[in-house]
Amino acid sequence: LTEFDVIRRLQRQFPAIGDDAAMLDGGLLAAADVVVQGVDFTPATPLEDVGWRAVAVNVSDIAAMGGTPTALLVSVVGPPATDVDRLYLGIADACEVYGCTVVGGDLSNGPELVVAVTVLGRADRPVLRSGARAGDGLFVSGALGAAAAAGYGVRPAPPVALGGQLSALGATAMIDISDGLAADLGHLLDASGCGAQITFVPIAAGATEEQAWSGGEDYELLFTLPAGVVPPKGCVQIGEILSDPSVRPPERGGWQHRFP
Amino acid sequence: LTEFDVIRRLQRQFPAIGDDAAMLDGGLLAAADVVVQGVDFTPATPLEDVGWRAVAVNVSDIAAMGGTPTALLVSVVGPPATDVDRLYLGIADACEVYGCTVVGGDLSNGPELVVAVTVLGRADRPVLRSGARAGDGLFVSGALGAAAAAGYGVRPAPPVALGGQLSALGATAMIDISDGLAADLGHLLDASGCGAQITFVPIAAGATEEQAWSGGEDYELLFTLPAGVVPPKGCVQIGEILSDPSVRPPERGGWQHRFP
């Protein structure tokens, strides 16, 4: 058994690879994201905000599938002096806002704080990245670049309830904007085998156009709707899906770790 | 909101706290365990064995509920030079042996290797720690102390298929022996509000009685069956459940981290 065999075997084992969450039997969704000191936050970040972030980035993956988050498993690895109560305060806040509960987890020791979360959820009609078709309208759930403009110090607030609404409305493709509009639009178009013409990008107050395109961590939803379907209030049409996959907005820098 | 409120709220949020896995809707089980360098393995441990261990300790939690593991989410945090392929080789080996697949996960950077796994599974009739009753027979699935006698350098091999068989046989309570017989028997008796008389403990070849009682990491199953029910081949009766919770085997040292 070579390592190449292993990779091929793992790819067969990942039926939902490339999407925000895995689809399991009975409409069950599952996704996992870690937040790590030195990558996703600094030693100066309040632990309540670290806990919030760990939940928020995970429930965003369920929303991006058109689903509703239900349960979290939270594993915490950190120095023995870590104030786990403060971390859990932020976790509990986010659970209350997003309507899910912690059902399990683990706790162990390590040199730097790692919060590894698995989120479970449900979707009646999961929305993949791959369903966009020529003629669909392309939308975002809000203005972009706010996280970058704020120096990424803010609590991400993904519009989770919107995910299920968009599924019910007939959204054809969806992804959450974690890496930036440029990168995540690329993922959606690659998965759908389409191109896109962009006509307008809503830029958050105080943000630059570059931050709106490439800042990342906005956790707004990027989605497509069949022509004529009106999106919920607050969503903004940014363009249209084209059949030619070579028609794309110009290349831009992708997301970078901010605490190297 | 005080921290005490948070703890109380979290306890309400953990419906299955104190059991090996959480029970969710539709017979779904979920559990999470991390393996961490410096706690669960050393820098000298082959990465294939680290991957195997991360899967084995998780599927053991599903077996201990009388369930069958189905899916894993695997998040890996480590130095950029980590040979993730070798890690995944051990993960893939364990998945093949235990009949489950990796459906998602995450990858990020940190100073020391952390493998955080969530396991999902199913049980028609979950077996809790709390169901032992006076008169039940008390059994283990095999001889104890082997992991300690081997210096913990071996791949744990939990008898996962046995979990479902014992559920079907009518097992009344079950736990996996990860912390050692003394500690895990205590957990089962505490949860069930019972005591136990121990008549015989099977000691693995090369192990001491102390290692059999307190070595830990054997990942055998400790379970109870109603009087007269014959356990599957290989299982050994070690005693009987008593109604008086104060009747216990003598106190012994608990499990200790071996790489401080």
Side-chain angles (χ1 to χ4, degrees):
Chain A
L1 191 75
T2 68
E3 287 178 357
F4 183 67
D5 293 329
V6 174
I7 302 288
R8 275 196 311 190
R9 189 161 66 176
L10 279 170
Q11 283 174 332
R12 286 201 304 270
Q13 286 178 334
F14 278 72
I17 203 166
D19 243 299
D20 293 90
M23 293 185 294
L24 304 172
D25 289 346
L28 182 68
L29 301 172
D33 265 312
V34 290
V35 299
V36 181
Q37 182 179 315
V39 176
D40 304 290
F41 60 91
T42 73
T45 309
L47 286 176
E48 293 87 341
D49 290 352
V50 173
W52 172 283
R53 170 174 294 268
V55 174
V57 302
N58 273 277
V59 296
S60 183
D61 282 330
I62 298 296
M65 299 290 291
T68 303
T70 54
L72 304 170
L73 295 102
V74 179
S75 292
V76 179
V77 178
T82 305
D83 188 346
V84 175
D85 285 351
R86 286 179 55 210
L87 185 74
Y88 270 103
L89 189 62
I91 290 170
D93 281 353
C95 281
E96 197 163 299
V97 167
Y98 292 115
C100 47
T101 58
V102 177
V103 299
D106 196 6
L107 198 60
S108 190
N109 294 332
E112 287 193 355
L113 185 59
V114 172
V115 185
V117 175
T118 291
V119 60
L120 305 178
R122 304 216 155 260
D124 293 331
R125 198 186 73 84
V127 182
L128 309 186
R129 296 179 179 181
S130 55
R133 294 295 172 261
D136 287 353
L138 181 65
F139 301 84
V140 292
S141 58
L144 303 176
Y152 302 102
V154 291
R155 289 185 170 197
V160 171
L162 185 64
Q165 291 172 40
L166 290 169
S167 165
L169 257 183
T172 49
M174 185 147 55
I175 189 171
D176 66 337
I177 304 179
S178 53
D179 296 346
L181 174 61
D184 289 315
L185 175 59
H187 296 148
L188 187 149
L189 296 176
D190 288 344
S192 295
C194 295
Q197 169 120 34
I198 304 300
T199 47
F200 172 73
V201 172
I203 301 175
T208 65
E209 188 182 355
E210 178 63 25
Q211 288 171 329
W213 273 96
S214 304
E217 304 233 349
D218 286 316
Y219 293 98
E220 297 292 346
L221 293 170
L222 173 69
F223 59 94
T224 54
L225 291 171
V229 177
V230 177
K233 214 174 142 177
C235 297
V236 179
Q237 182 157 9
I238 67 168
E240 189 181 316
I241 298 295
L242 305 177
S243 59
D244 183 349
S246 72
V247 182
R248 301 273 178 112
E251 291 262 335
R252 292 168 195 262
W255 179 84
Q256 304 270 334
H257 284 172
R258 284 164 308 290
F259 308 109
Chain B
L1 192 74
T2 67
E3 288 176 355
F4 183 66
D5 293 330
V6 174
I7 301 290
R8 273 197 312 189
R9 187 160 70 177
L10 280 169
Q11 283 175 332
R12 285 201 304 270
Q13 287 178 333
F14 278 73
I17 202 165
D19 243 300
D20 293 88
M23 293 186 294
L24 305 171
D25 289 347
L28 182 69
L29 300 173
D33 265 312
V34 290
V35 299
V36 181
Q37 183 179 315
V39 177
D40 304 291
F41 60 92
T42 73
T45 309
L47 287 176
E48 293 88 340
D49 290 352
V50 173
W52 172 283
R53 171 174 294 269
V55 174
V57 301
N58 273 276
V59 296
S60 183
D61 282 330
I62 297 296
M65 299 290 291
T68 304
T70 55
L72 303 171
L73 295 102
V74 179
S75 293
V76 178
V77 178
T82 304
D83 189 345
V84 176
D85 285 351
R86 285 179 54 211
L87 185 74
Y88 271 102
L89 189 63
I91 291 171
D93 282 352
C95 281
E96 198 163 297
V97 167
Y98 291 114
C100 47
T101 59
V102 177
V103 299
D106 196 7
L107 199 58
S108 191
N109 295 331
E112 287 194 355
L113 184 59
V114 173
V115 185
V117 175
T118 291
V119 58
L120 305 178
R122 302 214 156 262
D124 294 331
R125 198 186 73 85
V127 182
L128 309 186
R129 296 179 179 181
S130 55
R133 293 296 171 260
D136 288 353
L138 181 65
F139 300 84
V140 292
S141 58
L144 302 176
Y152 302 101
V154 292
R155 289 186 171 198
V160 171
L162 184 63
Q165 292 172 40
L166 290 170
S167 165
L169 258 184
T172 49
M174 187 147 53
I175 188 171
D176 66 337
I177 303 178
S178 53
D179 296 345
L181 174 61
D184 290 315
L185 174 60
H187 296 149
L188 187 148
L189 296 176
D190 287 345
S192 296
C194 295
Q197 169 121 32
I198 304 300
T199 48
F200 173 74
V201 172
I203 301 174
T208 64
E209 188 182 354
E210 179 61 26
Q211 287 170 329
W213 273 96
S214 303
E217 303 233 348
D218 286 316
Y219 293 98
E220 297 292 347
L221 293 169
L222 173 68
F223 59 94
T224 54
L225 291 172
V229 177
V230 178
K233 213 172 144 179
C235 297
V236 177
Q237 181 156 9
I238 67 168
E240 189 180 317
I241 298 295
L242 305 178
S243 59
D244 182 350
S246 71
V247 182
R248 300 274 177 111
E251 292 262 332
R252 292 168 195 262
W255 180 85
Q256 303 271 334
H257 284 170
R258 282 165 309 290
F259 309 110

